[in-house]
């Protein structure tokens, strides 16, 4: 009806026509268009009988009945007598009866079943109302559709079901399906209106799977039944037992199926499940099946380490946990260069780093690959990776931006320098010269033909030379005319775009000339079989390529072997075939000849037949051969005769050598077998119990003095100032008081120290002595002492950072006052740790070493022993011995009480006396016990049988000028023999002690272990030393002059190859292993330091070193680690390990000193960061502990790490500890003596010190030069007083 054609709608027939008179039955009911000329009351589409939709949307669940009511208009009751409703449900027509209501405004459709079988959520069912027999439809201007749906297809899970639009009336059935309430077969039915929580929430996956410790990683959790509103889950999400913040990601929450939250910060590496507690109800918990981890990403290296300034380098970062977090960004931070000639530290600090991004293109747990961006300048840069909020810097391996590569020239050969070119088959070499070429990881040659680029790979030989293969061109693109084509070319070198069209931008480079492929002609001989007679094989070619004369461009193969190309011309290739006819690749009679052009195109040009005709030798050659043969036979006869003459003599020498070698082999086998059996069965582990005899500690005073003044016997700081005239003392005290005030002035003291150190005559010994006396003088004010020490150390660090010095050597050598003061500072503050904890394992180690040494023989002259940790102190001979136990009478022999003492039958008499005294006086400090030379040793048998045993007497074995010291076996002393120590008549011990009970006798009668704790006695006793001083040559087990000589008589020599005896070192090491390990464990025990309170000074000093490293922008962690190792382990602990007599009242023998040196060396190696690659040629002492050093290194690293994690020490706490230290030990030493020693240096270098004070502005302001001159004048007055007193005494 809405047209201009004048049509009419025949209502009775349901037809649109232009001639209603002919086709319409009842013209009165027709509807005419507005432009129709027909006459009637119904005009326009609004007058058509039609359906009016009464609701916006008609919904019905599949499988349910629906009675539909629709509005109608313009019905003709007289004409339209019956109605039906039709529904097209998924292609199936369903029809029901319909009734016109009385108002004639609505039609009711009978109830119909709406159902479909397809597994889709919604089906649109078109609806129509038809009338009459012809089933003519009513007009439906706005088509009415019935929406049929299935709840079960719209949502398979509870959460999704409850989130469906309420208009569908879907809910969750108890049987686990989503349906309308009518369709629930059994059990309750829930919908979103009644606040239902879906049971069985599930987490199906989440991403990412790890987060850095700093947190703030955005995690996306997907699953089902994860709440139906944001408030259901917001506060109830945890990741590895840590809360996960969802509030910032409310908009990203998808009800029931997706949660987005950010992780929290944690302190240490951990892992666990992701848990969602819906509405906080423990009955509705979703737990992930995978583990989420908090990790600490580590950067380990990069490749490459250099790239162009324009960027584009594909930078690969290696490490651990590099896929952690939700956002990984890489930055390359370039440090700004200092202004030339500028010394201002402020300007350097104000300079800001330049940060360039590096776009990440690939990521997994162990590698990151990113593309660098353009840099603003060249130079080294730090690679930084940000894992969410975690920032990791790759230290020690910088990335360097270099100036972009530049190309000077290109050539097809390095010799002739012709222009470059190629052929369609490719393979020609292109040599490129320039600079910085090797900073590109994967350079390519780019040639432009038509509108396409053709590329080939290049290889950088060095920074100035690169070689490329010419690219291949398709045959269709490389159509050549009569002349070769000149093409533009360039190079793909990351983001260096200036080289992409290098030929067009640099005319000197020329063009790339594309020539046709060379043509190789087949052999023209019959059957293409060429006979080879001459030295060369000539191959005919047609080569228009001017640059294809490279000999390696053409390769010729004859069968399976190459034919070496010697020359190439435009029409010919010459090559040298193999001397012998090669094998065949085919079944042909002769090997085929193949020419390979450019490594791609192959030409099989025929077969090669070798001419095998024999050549006859000339007569002169035959004569020459015969003559040479005759002469050779004569020479052989002469040699045979000479050999037979010398045979008998050689056999005798060989027999002697075999006997000698057999003897050596037997001895070596016996020693190796004994060493193996000893290691496997006879390892005797020393006793760890020292409670029976106590630890002989020095008191604080003696301990400190032995560390500060190791080479002195009498300590001046324990007495008063020596004054020749007592009248001088008041004046000297006055001068020292003035000098003390200057020492307490920080400016003066620092200038004093710096001036002395700058003087070339201030020797190393002077520095050590000066530092020791300075520490004694400042002990009463440890706070001030610490301040001075820190300042001097800061100056030392500043000095080491200047120039090209290596900062790692800082504190390694005692070359400054500060380096000597530092161990003294630890000496004062760590005595409680030594006394209560470290002293015991160190003492046990010393005792254990002595016990192991005493298990085997020890040479009384050389100090060498069978069991030692030191190769230098190892006996290199086989010695027969046995262990025996003798009963030794105490000093009060009338009591008849004896003590069992374990000795060896190869011990000298002095060694037996020493072992007996060590057993008798095990409780007595070494400094107060008697010495072996004060006693005679008697062997007693029966009531009156007595024999005095001596090192040298009438039974001594004499060999020329050599005398061997007597041993117990020489006297045939048996196991269980009774011996007595008898004081000599002339000894001080005999004169000062009687048989009455005394401290020695009391101690000797107490039960004691066989090895006393202070038995670290010297291997050469005083008595034996006196024998040596007489000029006679004495020896015990090994003659010193024969130690390196192998005897020519096997049956009389005990010498073997020295290395055979190294297993004895392993035996000793195994016996002492637990003692060394216990000592290291106690020293590097962080918890022990923390509990004992001694962590304070260690933490304070380590933090100071960390601050200095930060101040000087030192990013290498190995430098700070080395500083800490040099300051505490090297300067303090190693000194005590090598010198236990500083801490204990014991005597240290040479062999124990060498053993402790090996332990100290491995202690130092454990604190080092460098990896020592050991070989069979490495020192034996390092090989001995090669497997233990990595464990000890790990212990040291963890110790440093734990201390660094500890909270910083406040100045208030440190000063309180220092003040208490000063208060407790203020009266231990005479500070005036120390001041007097310091004054001697001030007087000796007075001119230099005064000049330094006068040049310093602060010193002048406080009149420090004048005050020092007053001290000099006061001391001069003391000299005057002395002179006047002497003059008065004359009168």
């Amino acid at each position: 009806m809405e047209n201009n054609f004048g049509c009419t709608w025949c209502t009775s027939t349901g037809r649109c026509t232009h001639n209603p008179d002919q086709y319409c039955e009842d013209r009165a009911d027709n509807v005419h268009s507005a432009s129709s000329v027909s006459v009637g009351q119904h005009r326009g589409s609004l007058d058509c009988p039609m359906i009016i939709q009464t609701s916006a949307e008609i919904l019905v669940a599949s499988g349910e009945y629906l009675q539909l009511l629709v509005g109608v208009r313009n019905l003709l009751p007289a004409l339209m007598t019956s109605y039906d409703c039709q529904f097209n449900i998924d292609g199936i027509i369903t029809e029901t009866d319909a009734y016109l209501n009385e108002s004639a405004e609505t039609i009711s459709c009978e109830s119909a079943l709406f159902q479909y079988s397809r597994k889709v959520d919604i089906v649109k069912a078109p609806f129509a109302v038809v009338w009459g027999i012809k089933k003519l439809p009513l007009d439906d201007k706005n088509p009415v559709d019935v929406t049929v749906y299935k709840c079960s297809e719209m949502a398979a899970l509870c959460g999704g079901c409850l989130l469906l639009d309420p208009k569908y009336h879907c809910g969750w059935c108890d049987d686990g399906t989503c349906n309308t309430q009518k369709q629930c077969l059994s059990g309750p039915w829930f919908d979103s209106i009644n606040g239902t929580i879906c049971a069985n929430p599930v987490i199906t996956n989440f991403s990412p799977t790890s987060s850095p410790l700093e947190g703030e990683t955005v995690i996306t959790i997907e699953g089902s039944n994860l709440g139906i509103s944001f408030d259901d889950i917001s506060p109830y999400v945890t990741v590895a037992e840590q809360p996960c913040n969802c509030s910032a990601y409310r908009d990203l929450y998808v009800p029931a199926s997706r949660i987005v939250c950010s992780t929290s910060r944690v302190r240490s590496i951990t892992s666990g499940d992701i848990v969602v507690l819906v509405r906080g109800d423990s009955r509705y918990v979703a737990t992930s099946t995978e583990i989420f981890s908090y990790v600490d990403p580590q950067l380990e290296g990069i490749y490459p380490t250099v790239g162009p300034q324009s960027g584009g380098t594909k930078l690969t970062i290696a490490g651990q946990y590099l896929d952690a977090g939700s956002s990984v960004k890489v930055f390359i931070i370039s440090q700004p260069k200092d202004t030339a000639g500028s010394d201002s530290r402020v300007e350097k600090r104000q300079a800001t780093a330049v940060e360039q991004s590096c776009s990440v293109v690939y990521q997994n747990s162990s590698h990151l690959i990113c593309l660098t961006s353009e840099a603003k300048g060249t130079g080294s840069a730090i690679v930084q990776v940000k894992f969410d909020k975690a920032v990791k810097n790759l230290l020690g391996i910088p990335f360097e931006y270099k100036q972009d590569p530049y190309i000077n020239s290109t050539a097809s050969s390095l010799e002739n320098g012709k222009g470059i070119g190629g052929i369609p088959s490719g393979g020609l070499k292109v040599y490129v010269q320039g600079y910085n070429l090797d900073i590109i990881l994967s350079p390519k040659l780019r040639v432009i033909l038509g509108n396409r680029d053709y590329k080939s790979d290049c290889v950088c030989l060095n920074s100035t030379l690169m070689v490329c293969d010419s690219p291949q061109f398709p045959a269709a693109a490389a159509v050549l005319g009569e002349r070769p084509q000149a093409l533009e070319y360039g190079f793909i070198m990351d983001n260096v775009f200036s080289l992409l069209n290098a030929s067009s931008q640099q005319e000197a480079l020329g063009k790339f000339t594309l020539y046709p492929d060379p043509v190789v002609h087949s052999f023209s001989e019959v059957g293409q079989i060429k006979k080879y007679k001459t030295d060369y094989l000539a191959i005919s070619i047609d080569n228009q390529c001017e640059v294809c004369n490279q000999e390696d461009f053409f390769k010729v193969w004859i069968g399976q072997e190459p034919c070496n190309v010697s020359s190439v011309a435009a029409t010919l290739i010459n090559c040298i075939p193999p001397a012998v006819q090669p094998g065949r690749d085919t079944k042909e009679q002769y090997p085929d000849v193949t020419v390979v052009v450019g490594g791609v195109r192959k030409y099989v040009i025929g077969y090669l037949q070798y001419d095998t005709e024999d050549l006859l030798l000339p007569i002169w050659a035959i004569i020459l051969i015969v003559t040479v043969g005759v002469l050779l036979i004569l020479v052989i006869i002469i040699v045979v005769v000479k050999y037979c003459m010398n045979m008998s003599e050689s056999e005798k020498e060989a027999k002697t050598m075999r006997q000698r070698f057999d003897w050596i082999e037997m001895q070596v086998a016996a020693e190796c077998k004994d060493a193996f059996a000893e290691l496997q069965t006879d390892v005797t582990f020393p006793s760890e119990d020292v409670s029976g005899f106590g630890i002989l500690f020095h008191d604080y005073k003696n301990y400190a003095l032995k560390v500060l003044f190791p080479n002195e016997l009498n300590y001046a700081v324990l007495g008063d100032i020596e004054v020749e005239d007592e009248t001088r003392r008041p004046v000297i005290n006055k001068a020292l008081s003035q000098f003390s005030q200057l020492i307490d002035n920080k400016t003066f003291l620092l200038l004093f120290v710096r001036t002395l150190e700058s003087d070339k005559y201030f020797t190393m010994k002077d520095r050590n002595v000066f530092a020791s006396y300075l520490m004694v003088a400042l002990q009463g004010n440890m706070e001030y002492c610490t301040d001075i020490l820190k300042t001097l150390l800061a100056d030392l660090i500043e000095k080491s950072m200047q120039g090209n010095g290596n900062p790692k050597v800082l504190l390694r050598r005692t070359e400054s006052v500060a380096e000597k003061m530092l161990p003294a500072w630890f000496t004062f503050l760590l005595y409680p740790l030594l006394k209560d904890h470290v002293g015991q394992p160190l003492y046990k180690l010393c005792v254990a070493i002595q016990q192991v040494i005493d298990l085997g023989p020890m040479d009384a002259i050389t100090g060498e022993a069978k069991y030692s940790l030191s190769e230098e102190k190892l006996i290199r001979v086989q010695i027969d011995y046995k262990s025996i136990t003798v009963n030794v009478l105490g000093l009060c022999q009338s009591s008849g009480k004896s003590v069992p003492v374990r000795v060896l039958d190869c011990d000298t008499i002095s060694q037996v006396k020493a072992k007996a005294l060590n057993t008798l006086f095990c409780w007595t400090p070494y400094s107060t016990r008697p010495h072996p030379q004060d006693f005679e040793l008697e062997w007693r048998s029966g009531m009156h049988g007595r024999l005095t045993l001596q090192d040298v007497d009438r039974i001594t074995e004499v060999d020329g000028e050599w005398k061997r010291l007597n041993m117990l076996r020489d006297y045939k002393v048996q196991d269980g023999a009774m011996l007595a120590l008898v004081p000599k008549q002339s000894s001080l011990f005999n004169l000062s002690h009687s048989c009455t009970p005394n401290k020695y006798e009391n101690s000797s009668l107490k039960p004691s272990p066989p090895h006393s704790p202070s038995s670290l006695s010297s291997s050469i006793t005083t008595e034996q030393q006196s024998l040596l001083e007489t000029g006679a040559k004495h020896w015990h087990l090994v003659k010193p002059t024969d130690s390196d000589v192998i005897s020519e008589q096997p049956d009389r020599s005990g010498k073997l190859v020295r290395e055979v005896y190294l297993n004895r070192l392993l035996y000793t090491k195994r016996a002492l292993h637990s003692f060394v390990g216990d000592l290291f464990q106690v020293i590097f025990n962080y918890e022990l330091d923390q509990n004992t309170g001694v962590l304070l000074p260690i933490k304070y000093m380590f933090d100071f070193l960390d601050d200095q490293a930060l101040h000087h922008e030192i990013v290498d962690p190995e430098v700070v680690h080395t500083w800490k190792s040099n300051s505490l382990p090297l300067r303090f602990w190693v000194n005590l390990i090598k010198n236990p007599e500083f801490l204990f009242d014991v005597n240290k023998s040479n062999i124990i000193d060498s053993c402790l040196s090996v332990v100290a060396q491995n202690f130092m190696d454990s604190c080092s960061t460098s990896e020592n690659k050991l070989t069979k040629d490495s020192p034996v002492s390092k090989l001995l502990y090669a497997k233990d050093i990595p464990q000890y290194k790990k212990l040291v690293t963890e110790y440093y790490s734990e201390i660094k994690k500890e909270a910083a020490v406040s100045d208030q706490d440190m000063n309180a500890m220092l003040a208490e230290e000063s208060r407790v030990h203020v009266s231990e030493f005479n500070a005036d003596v120390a001041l007097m020693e310091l004054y001697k240096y001030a007087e000796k270098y007075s001119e230099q010190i005064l000049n330094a004070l006068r040049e310093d502005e602060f010193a002048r302001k406080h009149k420090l030069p004048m005050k020092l001159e007053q001290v000099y004048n006061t001391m001069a007055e003391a000299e005057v007083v002395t002179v006047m007193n002497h003059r008065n005494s004359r009168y």
Side-chain angles (χ1 to χ4, degrees), residues 1186-1246:
K1187 291 185 178 180
D1188 301 308
I1189 292 300
Q1191 301 176 6
Y1192 296 150
K1193 281 190 175 184
K1194 182 179 180 183
L1195 186 66
V1196 174
T1197 303
E1198 292 176 353
Y1199 178 71
Y1200 290 170
S1201 176
E1202 291 296 334
I1203 291 179
K1204 187 171 183 180
K1205 292 178 183 178
E1206 187 69 20
V1209 179
S1210 65
D1211 291 337
Q1212 181 179 0
D1213 293 341
M1214 190 64 197
N1215 291 336
M1217 178 188 179
L1218 295 172
E1220 179 64 17
E1221 176 71 19
S1222 299
R1223 184 190 67 79
V1224 173
H1225 301 293
V1226 67
S1227 60
E1228 298 283 359
F1229 313 113
N1230 189 343
D1232 288 342
V1233 175
L1235 287 171
M1236 190 65 186
E1237 295 297 328
L1238 296 177
Y1239 173 76
K1240 292 178 182 178
Y1241 289 101
E1243 185 179 30
K1244 181 178 180 180
Y1245 300 94
S1246 58

Side-chain angles (χ1 to χ4, degrees), residues 110-349:
E110 288 290 340
S111 179
L113 176 63
F114 290 83
Q115 188 172 13
Y116 61 91
S117 59
R118 282 195 303 149
K119 291 186 176 182
V120 294
D121 52 353
I122 292 176
V123 170
K124 293 291 186 178
F127 165 73
V129 177
V130 296
W131 61 274
I133 298 174
K134 295 181 180 181
K135 306 293 184 178
L136 300 176
L138 295 181
D139 197 2
D140 189 358
K141 194 170 186 180
N142 296 315
V144 177
D145 289 335
V146 177
T147 301
V148 187
Y149 61 90
K150 288 183 180 181
C151 295
S152 58
E153 297 296 336
M154 298 172 73
L157 300 174
C158 175
C161 182
L162 298 184
L163 290 170
L164 294 176
D165 196 316
K167 66 183 181 180
Y168 295 113
H169 301 287
C170 293
W172 189 252
C173 299
D174 193 48
D175 60 357
T177 60
C178 184
N179 268 314
T180 60
Q181 189 172 10
K182 293 180 181 179
Q183 294 177 334
C184 273
L185 301 178
S186 63
W189 177 82
F190 309 98
D191 61 2
S192 59
I193 299 176
N194 54 25
T196 301
I197 300 178
C198 290
N200 302 321
V202 176
I203 296 176
T204 56
N205 60 77
F206 58 87
S207 176
T209 59
S210 60
S211 166
L213 302 182
E214 289 78 2
E216 298 200 21
T217 295
V218 179
I219 303 178
T220 300
I221 304 169
E222 296 182 343
S224 60
N225 301 341
L226 301 179
I228 59 176
S229 69
F230 182 77
D231 294 334
D232 287 348
I233 54 89
S234 176
Y236 309 118
V237 181
T238 59
V239 176
E241 299 182 357
Q242 303 296 323
C244 195
N245 180 23
C246 301
S247 58
Y249 307 96
R250 175 186 290 267
D251 295 340
L252 299 179
Y253 172 70
V254 176
S257 61
R258 187 175 69 189
I259 301 172
V260 181
C261 62
S262 61
T263 60
S264 305
R265 181 186 184 93
V266 297
R267 297 185 62 181
S268 61
I269 294 175
T270 184
S271 61
D273 300 326
I274 295 180
V275 178
V276 178
L277 200 65
V278 180
R279 294 186 189 173
D281 194 332
S282 60
R283 295 174 299 173
Y284 305 102
V285 180
T287 303
S288 63
T289 57
E290 301 293 333
I291 298 297
F292 184 89
S293 302
Y294 280 96
V295 297
D296 186 13
Q298 299 294 324
L299 309 183
E300 296 175 349
I302 57 173
Y303 179 79
T305 57
V306 65
Q309 181 180 352
S310 295
T313 301
K314 184 180 287 187
L315 181 64
T316 300
I317 304 171
Q320 301 179 22
Y321 309 116
L322 301 185
D323 57 349
S326 55
S327 173
V328 178
K329 298 179 180 179
V330 181
F331 298 93
I332 300 178
I333 303 176
S334 302
Q335 298 296 330
K337 296 183 179 179
D338 298 336
T339 305
S342 174
D343 294 330
S344 173
R345 296 182 182 176
V346 176
E347 292 180 3
K348 295 179 182 179
R349 292 175 185 169

Side-chain angles (χ1 to χ4, degrees), residues 5-72:
F5 300 107
C7 297
T8 298
W9 176 258
C10 297
T11 303
S12 58
T13 60
R15 183 175 184 177
C16 182
T17 179
H18 67 284
N19 189 0
D21 294 337
Q22 181 179 354
Y23 295 105
C24 294
E25 298 177 357
D26 189 354
R27 293 190 295 271
D29 298 325
N30 295 338
V31 182
H32 307 282
S33 64
S35 58
S36 175
V37 295
S38 301
V39 179
Q41 59 178 343
H42 305 296
R43 286 188 177 275
S45 61
L46 294 178
D47 288 343
C48 292
M50 67 178 65
I51 301 172
I52 302 174
Q53 189 170 352
T54 57
S55 60
E57 187 176 16
I58 302 173
L59 299 171
V60 60
S62 178
E64 294 186 1
Y65 289 87
L66 176 66
Q67 186 176 7
L68 192 62
L69 179 67
V70 295
V72 292

Side-chain angles (χ1 to χ4, degrees), residues 917-969:
L917 288 174
N918 289 333
T919 303
L920 291 170
F921 297 94
C922 62
W923 289 75
T924 306
Y926 181 82
S927 59
T928 59
R929 66 168 54 179
H931 298 285
Q933 65 267 24
D934 295 331
F935 297 90
E936 296 284 2
L937 184 64
E938 290 184 355
W939 180 15
R940 296 185 179 182
S941 176
M943 295 294 296
H944 305 288
R946 296 189 180 188
L947 176 63
T948 301
L949 310 182
Q950 296 180 342
D951 287 325
V952 179
D953 59 9
R954 60 183 177 83
I955 70 168
T956 299
E957 179 185 338
V958 178
D959 182 10
E961 60 182 356
W962 287 94
K963 292 183 179 181
R964 181 174 183 174
L965 297 181
N966 293 334
M967 297 179 287
L968 286 183
R969 70 171 65 160

